[in-house]
Amino acid sequence: MDIGQRILFDLFVIFVAAKLGGWAFSWLRQPPVLGELVAGMVIGPHALGFIGRPDAELVAALGSEEAARAALEATYRTMAELGLVFLLFSVGLDMRVEEIFRVGRRQLFVAVLGVVVPFALGYASMRWSGRTEPEALFVGVALVATSVGITARALRDLGVIHSVEARIILGAAVIDDILSLLILGILSGLGGAVPPSSLDIVLLVVEAFAFVVFVALVGTGVVRRYGPPLSRFTTPNFPLVIAVGLCLGLAVLAGRVGLSSIVGAFLAGLVLAEARAHYDIERAAVPVYELLVPFFFVDVGAEVDLGVFARGELLGLMVAITGLAIVGKLVGCGLGALGMGWRPAVIVGVGMVPRGEVGLVVVSLGRALNVIPEDMFAVIVVMSVLTTVIVPPLLARLYADAIFRPPPVAVSEDVAHLGRADAGRSEERRGER
Amino acid sequence: MDIGQRILFDLFVIFVAAKLGGWAFSWLRQPPVLGELVAGMVIGPHALGFIGRPDAELVAALGSEEAARAALEATYRTMAELGLVFLLFSVGLDMRVEEIFRVGRRQLFVAVLGVVVPFALGYASMRWSGRTEPEALFVGVALVATSVGITARALRDLGVIHSVEARIILGAAVIDDILSLLILGILSGLGGAVPPSSLDIVLLVVEAFAFVVFVALVGTGVVRRYGPPLSRFTTPNFPLVIAVGLCLGLAVLAGRVGLSSIVGAFLAGLVLAEARAHYDIERAAVPVYELLVPFFFVDVGAEVDLGVFARGELLGLMVAITGLAIVGKLVGCGLGALGMGWRPAVIVGVGMVPRGEVGLVVVSLGRALNVIPEDMFAVIVVMSVLTTVIVPPLLARLYADAIFRPPPVAVSEDVAHLGRADAGRSEERRGER
């Protein structure tokens, strides 16, 4: 197939599989996002192979197998990145800055303990099992960084995104990201040819911290103060264009200061939540969300190679590392939130379990430095996927009493909703106090 | 940069450049789409190079320069394909089947003459200038296929998408696509190892024709008849998901029967225009349109290498071929529409001028068969871009009396709009009679 046709075909297959999976799982009273993950596993290159395998014509058109594979990867990655960014943007858009940072001290506890405990567990058990010092360090660090996308999506599907636990998780994830950056900076220093000075690392972290505080406080201030005059711009769909631009722009900027792009997108949403055009943007974000977000979760699911479980020699290591990853966050973050009572503490712990791209960046770095062997690399990749996949059903179980609430609706009903927009908003917020 | 960050960065740059270009040109009272094309030229690899050039880190991450380039190309192509597909989908959504096929005979004239005249001009002049018989054949065919995306966008920007001329152009473009398929089938037969029999070619064309008729007639019938019961589905955003699925699905299917994917997307829009959830889908399509469509036009603009004009030896050939391409369609389609009067005939002729991917497919085929030399290939690529770029300003001039109408608005005003949805619709349609 011609590359353009191949792209459209794969996007069609992913979209349809994601929606069918999502519908099937909501019919089974499971979180739809789990259906999207399973859809990815089923159509992915490790199972049916509907996506991800370049055909002969594509290889011929692009000159090499390698280029064809890179092109397909880039196609999925483009949609997945946009999906993840718009997911966190939508979550931010639905919150207020005060909501996130009011519970500041508890989030700090959750984030710090959620970083220290998994690192200590990973490092100690690797040393104990006879691995080298550098390998133990890298594995410890790979267990640190939470990727909050799946949790945000599951909490949204469950209709509890405004609960105290959700706000603690989201705030702690931002702090977690800054801490991970700090550790990653120190770690790259250990392996690099020119080790960065401690001043460099401190500067990096200060920069990241300043970015978050600046955007969250000054950004929202500016929007509150200057939003109304700006919204008088007569260009059609102006708020919408600004929203997309700010979302992508802050995602890129967050990446530049060393944070995850999703932290930038989340902050963009938080800032625009203060705008007067807020409801318009929120409503316009729904179709974009419906279109793009499934691609991220199918992409994650497609990474799962259940075949590795057949390889006995890796199975033990995989179970051990994944177990450490789960227990580490559960205990660390749970301890940080224990003051709230048992159930909220467990919810916060589970919500912080998913590891994402940062862990993979760490082990890629370790592999490039010949510190992480191939088998450990494969195990960390599986850990990152497994910790993502198990979270939605666990959260659904923990919120078993919560009524399944359908996601925001873009069509038909939203005219009625608009009439009582403010009422609806305060009603949604009632649960949070 | 990490591939994910590079993707987000490039998408951000493209989006912002497109919107700034579009705003600047509407401020200059020019079609915004022209601003997007110019933005693409400016940031593209042949000028400032903000996009399209892989950096060292990306090359290292993907293993080779070739793979890195393929990945970046695939990223832009993914967004561009989606943009083009949603553009034609939105155009279809805004029309009724009867509107398009009521003027059937005239569209048939326009399409047939618009295919015969450019082919004859191209073939004859190539033979006359001493090129070989096969090369002349391929060049003639490369001048045949219209790609109606830019015309649709320009007519939409101008607020005249419901004019008689626009309907003739859109209908003729569908027929043009079937005719091009017929010629391309014959041509591949001439060069192929196993020439397809005339039966194969007839079957191909019958299949394409059947696809269009089936979708346009049976599809709309089904939606009219079964749409209301279906719309009782309680899954959130059901119409929206169906719309995206049908749009991508028919685009893929059109590609499978040998047509352009945009014909499928246009038909998907036409079919869903009959649905009761029609206004909801139309409104939900606006943010998706705003997000995706600019990527197509920036991508086209980024292909323009103004540097080739500095190469004197190609300049003459380029001017000649581009001139033939323009004159061929203008005369052919204009003749077909002459019964309507001079101005409408010229508008139809200009609207059919843009050549697109099909011409490029033809010359790629010719190059693979060693029939088309490199210089001619480069010239046809430039012709395809130039015929696209010149159309919006020409149409703007031809519709100089039309008032610039802003594109449909997704935010703020559309609540009011909804209240008078049907009034607005019939008002918009008034111009068409």
Side-chain angles (χ1 to χ4, degrees), chain A residues 1 3-4 8 12 15 19 23 62 64 66-67 70-71 74-75 77-79 81-82 235 237 241 244-245 249 256 280 283-284 287 290-291 408-412 415 418, chain B residues 1 3-4 8 12 15 19 23 62 64 66-67 70-71 74-75 77-79 81-82 235 237 241 244-245 249 256 280 283-284 287 290-291 408-412 415 418:
Chain A
M1 265 184 272
I3 172 88
L8 286 177
F12 172 69
F15 185 81
K19 291 300 174 183
W23 286 340
L62 293 179
S64 74
E66 193 188 18
T75 294
R77 192 66 188 269
T78 300
M79 300 303 285
E81 287 284 334
L82 281 178
T235 323
N237 299 326
V241 172
V244 173
R256 282 291 161 94
D280 303 320
R283 209 154 31 90
E290 283 282 341
L291 174 66
V409 169
V411 292
S412 296
V415 186
L418 264 177
Chain B
M1 265 185 273
I3 171 89
L8 286 177
F12 172 68
F15 185 79
K19 290 301 174 182
W23 286 339
L62 293 180
S64 73
E66 192 188 18
T75 295
R77 190 68 187 269
T78 300
M79 301 303 286
E81 287 284 335
L82 281 178
T235 324
N237 299 325
V241 171
V244 173
R256 282 292 161 92
D280 303 321
R283 209 153 31 90
E290 283 282 341
L291 173 66
V409 169
V411 292
S412 296
V415 186
L418 264 176

Coordinates of all heavy atoms in Angstrom, one line a residue, chain A residues 1 3-4 8 12 15 19 23 62 64 66-67 70-71 74-75 77-79 81-82 235 237 241 244-245 249 256 280 283-284 287 290-291 408-412 415 418, chain B residues 1 3-4 8 12 15 19 23 62 64 66-67 70-71 74-75 77-79 81-82 235 237 241 244-245 249 256 280 283-284 287 290-291 408-412 415 418:
Chain A
M1 N 0.8 -1.2 0.0 CA 0.0 0.0 0.0 C 0.9 1.3 0.0 O 1.9 1.3 0.6 CB -0.9 0.0 1.3 CG -2.2 -0.5 1.1 SD -3.2 -0.4 2.6 CE -2.7 -1.9 3.5
I3 N 2.0 4.8 1.2 CA 2.1 5.2 2.6 C 0.9 5.9 3.2 O 0.4 5.7 4.3 CB 3.4 6.0 2.9 CG1 3.5 6.6 4.3 CG2 3.6 7.2 1.9 CD1 4.1 5.7 5.3
G4 N 0.3 6.8 2.4 CA -0.9 7.6 2.8 C -2.0 6.6 3.1 O -2.7 6.7 4.1
L8 N -3.9 5.7 6.8 CA -5.3 5.8 7.0 C -5.9 4.5 7.5 O -6.7 4.4 8.4 CB -6.1 6.3 5.8 CG -5.9 7.8 5.5 CD1 -6.6 8.1 4.2 CD2 -6.5 8.7 6.6
F12 N -7.7 3.8 11.0 CA -9.0 3.3 11.0 C -9.1 2.0 11.9 O -10.0 1.9 12.8 CB -9.5 2.9 9.6 CG -10.8 2.2 9.5 CD1 -12.0 2.9 9.9 CD2 -10.8 0.9 9.1 CE1 -13.2 2.2 9.8 CE2 -12.1 0.2 9.1 CZ -13.2 0.9 9.4
F15 N -8.7 3.0 15.6 CA -9.8 3.7 16.1 C -11.0 2.8 16.4 O -11.6 2.8 17.5 CB -10.2 4.8 15.2 CG -11.3 5.7 15.7 CD1 -11.0 6.7 16.6 CD2 -12.6 5.5 15.3 CE1 -12.0 7.5 17.1 CE2 -13.7 6.3 15.8 CZ -13.4 7.3 16.7
K19 N -12.7 1.7 20.0 CA -14.0 2.0 20.4 C -14.8 0.7 20.7 O -15.6 0.7 21.7 CB -14.7 2.8 19.3 CG -14.2 4.2 19.1 CD -14.4 5.0 20.4 CE -13.7 6.3 20.3 NZ -13.8 7.1 21.6
W23 N -16.4 0.0 24.3 CA -17.8 -0.3 24.5 C -18.0 -1.7 25.1 O -18.9 -1.8 26.0 CB -18.6 -0.3 23.1 CG -18.8 1.1 22.6 CD1 -18.7 2.3 23.3 CD2 -19.0 1.5 21.2 NE1 -18.9 3.3 22.5 CE2 -19.1 2.9 21.2 CE3 -19.1 0.8 20.0 CZ2 -19.3 3.6 20.0 CZ3 -19.4 1.5 18.9 CH2 -19.5 2.9 18.8
L62 N 9.8 3.0 0.9 CA 10.6 3.8 1.8 C 12.1 3.3 1.7 O 12.9 3.9 2.4 CB 10.1 3.7 3.2 CG 8.7 4.4 3.4 CD1 8.2 4.3 4.8 CD2 8.8 5.8 3.0
S64 N 13.8 0.8 2.9 CA 14.3 -0.3 3.7 C 13.3 -0.7 4.8 O 12.4 0.1 5.1 CB 15.6 0.2 4.4 OG 15.3 1.1 5.4
E66 N 13.9 -1.0 7.9 CA 14.1 -0.1 9.0 C 13.3 1.2 8.9 O 12.6 1.7 9.8 CB 15.6 0.2 9.1 CG 16.1 0.9 10.4 CD 17.5 1.3 10.2 OE1 18.1 1.4 9.1 OE2 18.2 1.6 11.3
A67 N 13.4 1.8 7.7 CA 12.7 3.1 7.4 C 11.2 2.9 7.5 O 10.4 3.7 8.1 CB 13.1 3.7 6.1
A70 N 10.2 2.6 11.1 CA 10.3 3.9 11.7 C 9.1 4.7 11.3 O 8.5 5.5 12.1 CB 11.6 4.6 11.3
A71 N 8.7 4.6 10.1 CA 7.5 5.4 9.6 C 6.2 5.0 10.3 O 5.5 5.8 10.8 CB 7.4 5.3 8.1
A74 N 6.3 6.1 13.9 CA 6.1 7.5 14.0 C 4.7 7.9 13.8 O 4.1 8.8 14.5 CB 7.0 8.3 12.9
T75 N 4.0 7.2 13.0 CA 2.5 7.4 12.8 C 1.8 7.1 14.1 O 1.0 8.0 14.5 CB 2.0 6.5 11.7 OG1 2.6 6.8 10.4 CG2 0.5 6.6 11.6
R77 N 3.0 6.9 17.1 CA 3.6 7.8 18.1 C 3.0 9.2 18.0 O 2.7 9.8 19.1 CB 5.1 7.8 18.0 CG 5.8 8.4 19.1 CD 5.6 7.6 20.4 NE 6.2 8.3 21.6 CZ 7.4 8.2 22.0 NH1 8.3 7.4 21.4 NH2 7.9 8.9 23.0
T78 N 2.8 9.7 16.8 CA 2.2 11.0 16.6 C 0.8 11.1 17.2 O 0.5 12.0 18.0 CB 2.1 11.3 15.1 OG1 3.4 11.3 14.5 CG2 1.5 12.7 14.9
M79 N 0.0 10.1 16.9 CA -1.3 10.0 17.4 C -1.3 9.8 18.9 O -2.1 10.4 19.7 CB -2.2 9.0 16.8 CG -2.3 9.1 15.3 SD -3.0 10.7 14.8 CE -4.7 10.5 15.1
E81 N 1.1 10.5 21.2 CA 1.5 11.7 21.9 C 0.4 12.8 22.0 O 0.2 13.3 23.0 CB 2.7 12.4 21.2 CG 4.0 11.6 21.3 CD 4.7 11.8 22.7 OE1 4.5 12.8 23.3 OE2 5.4 10.8 23.1
L82 N -0.3 13.0 20.8 CA -1.3 14.0 20.8 C -2.5 13.5 21.8 O -3.0 14.3 22.5 CB -1.9 14.1 19.4 CG -1.1 15.0 18.5 CD1 -1.8 15.1 17.1 CD2 -1.0 16.4 19.0
T235 N -11.4 36.9 15.4 CA -11.0 35.7 14.6 C -11.9 34.5 14.9 O -12.1 34.3 16.1 CB -9.6 35.4 14.8 OG1 -8.8 36.6 15.0 CG2 -9.0 34.6 13.6
N237 N -13.2 31.1 16.0 CA -12.6 30.0 16.8 C -11.3 30.4 17.6 O -10.5 29.5 17.8 CB -12.4 28.7 16.0 CG -13.6 28.2 15.4 OD1 -14.7 28.3 16.0 ND2 -13.6 27.7 14.2
V241 N -8.2 27.9 19.0 CA -6.9 27.9 18.4 C -5.8 28.2 19.5 O -4.8 27.6 19.6 CB -6.8 29.0 17.3 CG1 -5.3 29.1 16.8 CG2 -7.7 28.5 16.1
V244 N -5.4 25.0 21.6 CA -4.5 24.0 21.0 C -3.1 24.5 21.0 O -2.1 23.7 21.4 CB -5.0 23.7 19.6 CG1 -4.0 22.8 18.9 CG2 -6.3 23.1 19.6
G245 N -2.8 25.8 20.7 CA -1.5 26.3 20.7 C -0.8 26.3 22.0 O 0.3 25.8 22.2
G249 N 2.2 24.1 23.0 CA 3.4 24.9 23.4 C 3.9 24.6 24.8 O 5.1 24.4 24.9
R256 N 11.4 20.7 27.2 CA 12.6 21.4 27.2 C 13.3 21.7 28.5 O 14.5 21.6 28.6 CB 12.4 22.8 26.5 CG 12.3 22.8 25.0 CD 13.6 22.4 24.4 NE 13.4 21.9 23.0 CZ 13.5 22.7 21.9 NH1 13.8 23.9 22.0 NH2 13.3 22.2 20.7
D280 N -16.6 26.9 26.4 CA -16.5 26.7 25.0 C -15.3 25.7 24.7 O -15.4 24.8 23.9 CB -16.3 28.0 24.2 CG -17.4 29.0 24.5 OD1 -18.5 28.5 24.6 OD2 -17.1 30.2 24.7
R283 N -16.0 22.2 25.7 CA -16.9 21.5 24.8 C -16.3 21.1 23.5 O -16.4 20.1 23.0 CB -18.2 22.4 24.6 CG -19.4 21.6 24.3 CD -20.6 22.4 24.7 NE -20.3 23.8 24.5 CZ -20.5 24.5 23.4 NH1 -21.1 23.9 22.4 NH2 -20.3 25.8 23.3
A284 N -15.4 22.1 23.1 CA -14.7 21.8 21.8 C -13.6 20.7 22.0 O -13.3 20.0 21.1 CB -14.0 23.1 21.3
P287 N -14.7 16.4 21.2 CA -14.5 15.6 20.0 C -13.0 15.3 19.8 O -12.7 14.2 19.3 CB -15.1 16.5 18.9 CG -15.7 17.7 19.5 CD -15.5 17.7 20.9
E290 N -12.2 12.5 22.0 CA -12.8 11.2 21.5 C -11.9 10.7 20.4 O -11.8 9.5 20.2 CB -14.2 11.4 21.1 CG -15.2 11.5 22.2 CD -15.6 10.1 22.8 OE1 -15.3 9.1 22.1 OE2 -16.1 10.1 23.9
L291 N -11.5 11.6 19.5 CA -10.7 11.2 18.4 C -9.3 10.7 18.7 O -8.8 9.6 18.3 CB -10.6 12.3 17.4 CG -9.7 12.1 16.2 CD1 -10.3 11.0 15.3 CD2 -9.5 13.4 15.4
P408 N -17.9 13.2 29.5 CA -18.7 14.4 29.0 C -19.2 14.1 27.6 O -18.5 13.5 26.8 CB -17.7 15.5 29.1 CG -16.4 14.9 29.4 CD -16.6 13.5 29.9
V409 N -20.3 14.7 27.3 CA -21.0 14.4 26.1 C -20.9 15.6 25.2 O -21.2 16.7 25.6 CB -22.4 14.0 26.3 CG1 -23.2 14.0 25.0 CG2 -22.5 12.7 27.0
A410 N -20.5 15.4 23.9 CA -20.3 16.6 23.0 C -21.6 16.9 22.3 O -21.8 18.0 21.8 CB -19.2 16.3 22.0
V411 N -22.4 15.8 22.1 CA -23.5 16.0 21.2 C -24.8 15.8 21.8 O -25.0 15.3 22.9 CB -23.3 14.9 20.1 CG1 -22.1 15.2 19.2 CG2 -23.2 13.5 20.7
S412 N -25.8 16.3 21.2 CA -27.2 16.3 21.6 C -27.5 16.9 23.0 O -28.0 18.0 23.1 CB -27.8 14.8 21.6 OG -27.7 14.3 20.3
V415 N -26.6 20.9 24.7 CA -27.3 22.2 24.6 C -28.0 22.4 26.0 O -27.9 23.5 26.5 CB -28.3 22.2 23.5 CG1 -28.9 23.5 23.3 CG2 -27.6 21.7 22.2
L418 N -25.5 23.3 28.6 CA -25.0 24.6 28.5 C -25.9 25.6 29.3 O -25.4 26.5 30.0 CB -24.9 25.1 27.1 CG -23.6 24.9 26.4 CD1 -23.7 25.3 25.0 CD2 -22.5 25.8 27.2
Chain B
M1 N 16.7 15.5 20.2 CA 15.5 15.3 21.0 C 15.0 13.9 20.9 O 15.1 13.3 19.8 CB 14.5 16.3 20.4 CG 14.4 17.6 21.1 SD 13.0 18.6 20.4 CE 13.9 19.4 19.0
I3 N 12.1 11.2 20.3 CA 11.2 11.2 19.1 C 9.9 11.8 19.5 O 9.3 12.6 18.8 CB 11.0 9.8 18.5 CG1 9.9 9.8 17.4 CG2 10.8 8.7 19.5 CD1 10.3 10.1 16.1
G4 N 9.4 11.5 20.7 CA 8.1 12.0 21.2 C 8.1 13.5 21.3 O 7.2 14.2 20.9
L8 N 6.0 16.5 19.0 CA 5.2 17.5 19.6 C 5.8 18.9 19.2 O 5.0 19.8 18.9 CB 5.2 17.4 21.1 CG 4.3 16.3 21.7 CD1 4.5 16.3 23.2 CD2 2.9 16.5 21.3
F12 N 3.7 21.6 17.0 CA 3.5 22.9 17.6 C 3.9 24.0 16.6 O 3.1 24.9 16.3 CB 4.3 23.1 18.9 CG 4.3 24.4 19.4 CD1 3.1 25.0 19.9 CD2 5.4 25.2 19.4 CE1 3.1 26.3 20.5 CE2 5.4 26.5 19.9 CZ 4.3 27.0 20.5
F15 N 1.4 24.1 13.6 CA 0.1 24.6 14.0 C 0.2 26.1 14.1 O -0.7 26.9 13.6 CB -0.4 23.9 15.2 CG -1.8 24.3 15.6 CD1 -2.9 23.8 15.0 CD2 -2.0 25.3 16.6 CE1 -4.2 24.2 15.3 CE2 -3.3 25.7 16.9 CZ -4.4 25.1 16.3
K19 N -1.6 29.0 11.7 CA -2.6 29.9 12.2 C -2.2 31.4 12.0 O -3.0 32.2 11.7 CB -2.9 29.6 13.7 CG -3.7 28.3 13.9 CD -5.0 28.3 13.2 CE -5.6 26.9 13.3 NZ -6.9 26.8 12.5
W23 N -4.2 33.9 9.8 CA -4.7 35.2 10.3 C -4.1 36.4 9.5 O -4.8 37.3 9.1 CB -4.3 35.4 11.8 CG -5.1 34.5 12.7 CD1 -6.4 34.0 12.4 CD2 -4.8 34.1 14.0 NE1 -6.8 33.2 13.5 CE2 -5.9 33.3 14.5 CE3 -3.7 34.3 14.9 CZ2 -5.9 32.7 15.7 CZ3 -3.8 33.8 16.1 CH2 -4.8 33.0 16.6
L62 N 17.1 6.5 16.0 CA 16.4 5.6 15.0 C 17.3 4.8 14.2 O 16.9 4.0 13.4 CB 15.5 6.5 14.1 CG 14.3 7.1 14.9 CD1 13.4 7.9 13.9 CD2 13.4 6.0 15.6
S64 N 19.4 5.4 11.7 CA 20.0 5.9 10.4 C 19.2 7.2 10.0 O 18.1 7.5 10.4 CB 19.8 4.9 9.3 OG 18.4 4.8 8.9
E66 N 18.1 7.8 7.1 CA 17.0 7.4 6.3 C 15.7 7.1 7.2 O 14.6 7.6 6.9 CB 17.4 6.1 5.6 CG 16.4 5.7 4.5 CD 16.8 4.3 4.0 OE1 17.5 3.5 4.7 OE2 16.3 3.9 2.9
A67 N 15.9 6.4 8.3 CA 14.8 6.1 9.2 C 14.3 7.3 9.9 O 13.1 7.5 10.0 CB 15.3 5.0 10.2
A70 N 12.3 9.2 7.4 CA 11.0 8.5 7.2 C 10.0 8.7 8.4 O 8.8 8.9 8.2 CB 11.2 7.0 7.0
A71 N 10.6 8.8 9.6 CA 9.8 9.0 10.8 C 9.1 10.4 10.7 O 7.9 10.6 11.0 CB 10.6 8.8 12.0
A74 N 6.5 10.6 8.1 CA 5.3 9.8 8.5 C 4.5 10.7 9.4 O 3.3 10.7 9.4 CB 5.7 8.5 9.1
T75 N 5.2 11.4 10.3 CA 4.5 12.3 11.3 C 3.7 13.3 10.5 O 2.5 13.5 10.8 CB 5.5 13.0 12.2 OG1 6.1 12.0 13.0 CG2 4.8 14.0 13.1
R77 N 2.8 13.3 7.4 CA 1.9 12.7 6.5 C 0.6 12.3 7.3 O -0.5 12.4 6.7 CB 2.6 11.5 5.8 CG 1.8 10.9 4.7 CD 1.8 11.9 3.5 NE 0.9 11.4 2.5 CZ 1.3 10.6 1.5 NH1 2.6 10.3 1.3 NH2 0.4 10.2 0.6
T78 N 0.8 11.7 8.5 CA -0.3 11.3 9.3 C -1.3 12.5 9.5 O -2.5 12.4 9.3 CB 0.2 10.8 10.6 OG1 1.1 9.7 10.4 CG2 -1.0 10.3 11.5
M79 N -0.7 13.6 9.9 CA -1.6 14.8 10.2 C -2.2 15.3 8.9 O -3.3 15.7 8.9 CB -0.8 15.9 10.9 CG -0.1 15.4 12.2 SD -1.3 14.8 13.4 CE -2.1 16.3 13.9
E81 N -2.8 13.7 6.1 CA -3.9 12.8 5.6 C -5.1 13.0 6.3 O -6.2 13.1 5.8 CB -3.4 11.3 5.7 CG -2.4 10.9 4.7 CD -2.9 10.6 3.3 OE1 -4.1 10.3 3.2 OE2 -2.1 10.7 2.4
L82 N -5.0 13.0 7.7 CA -6.2 13.2 8.5 C -6.8 14.6 8.2 O -8.1 14.7 8.1 CB -5.8 13.2 10.0 CG -5.7 11.8 10.6 CD1 -5.2 11.9 12.0 CD2 -7.0 11.0 10.5
T235 N -24.6 5.0 24.3 CA -23.2 5.2 24.5 C -22.9 6.7 24.3 O -23.4 7.3 23.3 CB -22.4 4.4 23.4 OG1 -23.1 3.2 23.2 CG2 -21.0 4.2 23.9
N237 N -21.4 10.1 23.1 CA -20.8 10.5 21.9 C -20.9 9.5 20.7 O -20.1 9.5 19.8 CB -19.3 10.9 22.1 CG -19.1 12.0 23.1 OD1 -19.9 12.9 23.2 ND2 -18.1 11.9 23.9
V241 N -18.5 9.1 17.3 CA -17.6 8.0 17.0 C -18.0 7.3 15.7 O -17.1 7.0 14.9 CB -17.8 7.0 18.2 CG1 -17.0 5.7 17.9 CG2 -17.2 7.6 19.5
V244 N -16.5 9.5 12.9 CA -15.1 9.4 12.7 C -14.8 8.0 12.0 O -14.0 7.9 11.1 CB -14.3 9.5 14.0 CG1 -12.8 9.2 13.8 CG2 -14.4 10.9 14.6
G245 N -15.5 7.0 12.5 CA -15.3 5.6 12.0 C -15.7 5.5 10.5 O -14.9 5.0 9.7
G249 N -13.2 4.9 7.6 CA -13.5 3.6 6.9 C -13.8 3.8 5.4 O -13.2 3.1 4.6
R256 N -9.0 1.4 -1.5 CA -8.9 0.0 -1.9 C -9.5 -0.3 -3.3 O -9.0 -1.1 -4.0 CB -9.7 -0.9 -0.9 CG -9.0 -1.2 0.4 CD -7.8 -2.1 0.2 NE -6.8 -2.0 1.2 CZ -6.8 -2.8 2.3 NH1 -7.6 -3.7 2.4 NH2 -5.8 -2.6 3.2
D280 N -25.2 18.0 15.4 CA -24.2 17.6 16.4 C -22.9 17.3 15.8 O -21.8 17.7 16.3 CB -24.8 16.4 17.2 CG -26.1 16.7 17.8 OD1 -26.4 17.9 18.3 OD2 -27.0 15.8 17.8
R283 N -21.2 20.3 14.3 CA -20.6 21.1 15.4 C -19.3 20.5 16.0 O -18.3 21.2 16.2 CB -21.6 21.4 16.4 CG -21.4 22.8 17.1 CD -22.7 23.3 17.6 NE -23.6 22.1 18.0 CZ -23.6 21.6 19.2 NH1 -22.8 22.1 20.2 NH2 -24.4 20.6 19.5
A284 N -19.4 19.2 16.2 CA -18.2 18.5 16.7 C -17.1 18.4 15.7 O -15.9 18.3 16.1 CB -18.7 17.1 17.2
P287 N -14.0 21.7 15.8 CA -12.7 21.7 16.4 C -11.7 20.7 15.8 O -10.5 21.0 15.7 CB -13.0 21.2 17.9 CG -14.4 21.2 18.0 CD -15.1 21.3 16.7
E290 N -10.4 22.5 12.7 CA -9.5 23.5 13.1 C -8.1 23.0 13.5 O -7.1 23.5 13.2 CB -10.0 24.4 14.3 CG -11.1 25.3 14.0 CD -10.5 26.6 13.3 OE1 -9.3 26.9 13.4 OE2 -11.3 27.3 12.6
L291 N -8.2 21.8 14.1 CA -6.9 21.2 14.6 C -6.1 20.6 13.4 O -4.9 20.7 13.3 CB -7.2 20.1 15.7 CG -6.0 19.3 16.1 CD1 -5.0 20.2 16.9 CD2 -6.5 18.2 17.0
P408 N -17.3 28.2 9.9 CA -18.2 28.0 10.9 C -17.6 28.1 12.3 O -16.4 27.8 12.5 CB -18.7 26.5 10.7 CG -17.8 26.0 9.6 CD -17.2 27.1 8.9
V409 N -18.3 28.5 13.3 CA -17.7 28.8 14.6 C -18.2 27.8 15.6 O -19.3 27.4 15.6 CB -18.2 30.2 15.0 CG1 -17.9 30.5 16.5 CG2 -17.6 31.3 14.1
A410 N -17.2 27.2 16.3 CA -17.5 26.2 17.2 C -17.8 26.7 18.6 O -18.5 26.1 19.4 CB -16.3 25.2 17.4
V411 N -17.4 27.9 18.9 CA -17.4 28.4 20.3 C -18.2 29.7 20.4 O -18.4 30.4 19.4 CB -16.0 28.6 20.8 CG1 -15.3 27.3 20.9 CG2 -15.2 29.6 19.9
S412 N -18.7 29.9 21.6 CA -19.4 31.1 21.9 C -20.7 31.3 21.1 O -21.8 31.1 21.6 CB -18.6 32.4 21.7 OG -17.5 32.3 22.6
V415 N -24.2 28.7 20.3 CA -25.4 28.4 21.1 C -26.5 29.1 20.5 O -27.6 28.6 20.2 CB -25.2 28.8 22.6 CG1 -26.4 28.4 23.4 CG2 -23.9 28.3 23.1
L418 N -27.4 27.5 17.3 CA -28.2 26.3 17.4 C -29.7 26.5 17.5 O -30.5 25.8 16.9 CB -27.8 25.5 18.7 CG -26.8 24.4 18.5 CD1 -26.4 23.9 19.8 CD2 -27.4 23.3 17.6

